[in-house]
Amino acid sequence: MLNKLSSIVAVSALLSSAYAKVKYAGVNIAGFDFGCGTDGTCNTASVTPPLSFYGGGDGQGQMNHFVKDDGLNIFRLPVGWQWLTNNTLGGPLNPNNFGEYNTLVQICLNTGASCIVDIHNYARWNGGIIGQGGPTDQQFASIWSQLANVYQGQSKVIFGIMNEPHDLNVSRWGESVQVAVNAIRATGAKNLITLPGTNYASAQNFVSSGSAAALAPITNPDGTKTNLVFDVHKYLDIDGSGTHTNCVTNNINSTFEPLAEYLNSVGRMAILSETGGGPNDTSCLTDLCQELQYIDQNANVFLGWVGWAAGSFDTSYTITETPFETNGKFTDQPLVTKCIVGEFK
């Protein structure tokens, strides 16, 4: 009888695992990051808030559509550090600039979705690397302490520590991230925090680049790792840059299988917060769907995915996920319909 019961429990667990799905799927709503370069310079004059009443894309309509019509449940809201403080390093949140950004966050929250606050500065400010000759760890911690004080009561706000760090001492970067995590938790905020590694948050090189070794030891002040997840990016074009319409790989063998193996070995989770491809390209319609299907099948280590990008991007942008809009009615790009949404349903 005991053996029979054990078998039933084992089969039940297997079935449960087989039908497990990722928690999140959604789209980046870009615009507050426009003007930001990979050297951490952000020309605030180029910002195009993804809200039609601020002169940008209809991010409000897009998010409502993605949630109500498509069933998506997460949006990443990139913003330049310089925008938040009106070009004052270490300064307070600028009431006007942050007020506009916070309007987007509140609209996102009103959809019922989770919302990633993403500082889109590549671990830099105007060319200087955080904690490595550029902004001090304390200046980095200051912006996150301020943001955490605003959003600590919103459990659906996720703190995306930094977009795509690159070309830095990754061990030292891990120390800077720990300082920021400490500052966030000091406010009382228990929100989910995403931790990006180097090589532009590369999922493929997460272990080999030293990112895993630098980020895995990061803890909350109480020593736990609750609500600390790794943040990774991966595109599918020939150079992995996300600047070409065609795709050449589904990234499974080269990237997500070994990453899943690592995550399983250490009992951690990651979120794929940027991925995508040409909106009509047949290779991408195949490869991206296969990539996301694999991630969905490994929901024990992957929280989900966020496609790049909609918001203030035009529908003609190289890897656009901006839906077409006619008289208030939205029609998705084929890649969104088939893969971003289709693999989540």
Side-chain angles (χ1 to χ4, degrees):
M1 181 65 172
L2 184 58
N3 287 339
K4 184 176 180 181
L5 183 58
S6 297
S7 297
I8 291 171
V9 170
V11 169
S12 237
L14 185 61
L15 288 173
S16 174
S17 172
Y19 288 98
K21 294 186 69 66
V22 292
K23 184 175 182 179
Y24 298 118
V27 177
N28 280 266
I29 306 297
F32 277 108
D33 58 308
F34 284 11
C36 288
T38 59
D39 62 352
T41 58
C42 291
N43 179 4
T44 54
S46 297
V47 166
T48 309
L51 293 168
S52 55
F53 48 83
Y54 289 145
D58 186 10
Q60 181 171 15
Q62 293 170 20
M63 288 189 286
N64 283 327
H65 157 69
F66 285 137
V67 171
K68 294 177 181 177
D69 300 334
D70 292 339
L72 299 180
N73 64 358
I74 192 169
F75 300 105
R76 182 169 176 256
L77 313 175
V79 62
W81 189 351
Q82 286 90 334
W83 177 262
L84 293 174
T85 64
N86 198 28
N87 290 302
T88 303
L89 178 61
L93 293 169
N94 178 266
N96 293 329
N97 289 5
F98 177 67
E100 291 187 11
Y101 179 72
N102 185 48
T103 297
L104 180 68
V105 176
Q106 298 306 321
I107 287 171
C108 176
L109 289 170
N110 286 341
T111 68
S114 292
C115 311
I116 303 174
V117 173
D118 159 58
I119 297 183
H120 214 76
N121 276 68
Y122 303 87
R124 287 161 167 77
W125 174 289
N126 295 347
I129 301 171
I130 296 168
Q132 301 177 43
T136 65
D137 288 348
Q138 289 67 37
Q139 289 170 326
F140 184 41
S142 172
I143 188 64
W144 273 114
S145 178
Q146 293 179 68
L147 290 168
N149 271 311
V150 174
Y151 297 120
Q152 62 172 301
Q154 298 283 355
S155 61
K156 289 194 172 182
V157 171
I158 296 169
F159 298 142
I161 284 283
M162 181 57 61
N163 177 68
E164 295 192 345
H166 65 91
D167 297 290
L168 43 66
N169 181 319
V170 71
S171 297
R172 182 65 184 84
W173 167 242
E175 296 173 9
S176 298
V177 174
Q178 180 68 75
V179 174
V181 168
N182 291 346
I184 290 169
R185 295 299 186 229
T187 69
K190 298 179 180 178
N191 306 56
L192 187 72
I193 303 174
T194 66
L195 315 175
T198 190
N199 286 13
Y200 299 90
S202 171
Q204 183 170 359
N205 300 318
F206 187 73
V207 176
S208 62
S209 68
S211 296
L215 299 175
I218 292 173
T219 65
N220 297 307
D222 63 2
T224 67
K225 297 180 179 179
T226 305
N227 279 347
L228 300 177
V229 303
F230 302 130
D231 185 1
V232 297
H233 292 178
K234 194 71 179 83
Y235 288 96
L236 304 90
D237 51 352
I238 192 166
D239 58 1
S241 65
T243 59
H244 305 85
T245 56
N246 63 310
C247 297
V248 298
T249 176
N250 61 21
N251 290 320
I252 294 173
N253 293 336
S254 64
T255 300
F256 291 106
E257 278 185 351
L259 181 55
E261 182 179 353
Y262 166 75
L263 294 170
N264 273 305
S265 73
V266 295
R268 300 296 295 273
M269 299 194 76
I271 186 167
L272 177 62
S273 66
E274 280 191 30
T275 193
N280 304 287
D281 187 83
T282 55
S283 61
C284 294
L285 289 167
T286 297
D287 288 340
L288 183 63
C289 283
Q290 290 174 351
E291 174 189 276
L292 300 184
Q293 183 180 62
Y294 180 83
I295 289 172
D296 198 36
Q297 291 168 347
N298 289 270
N300 65 311
V301 291
F302 293 115
L303 277 174
W305 58 79
V306 191
W308 183 270
S312 287
F313 278 119
D314 192 79
T315 54
S316 62
Y317 167 56
T318 306
I319 58 170
T320 189
E321 294 186 359
T322 301
F324 298 97
E325 181 180 2
T326 306
N327 299 323
K329 180 177 174 60
F330 291 87
T331 303
D332 285 324
Q333 300 286 346
L335 193 75
V336 172
T337 299
K338 186 176 180 185
C339 303
I340 300 293
V341 174
E343 293 300 334
F344 188 57
K345 288 185 172 180

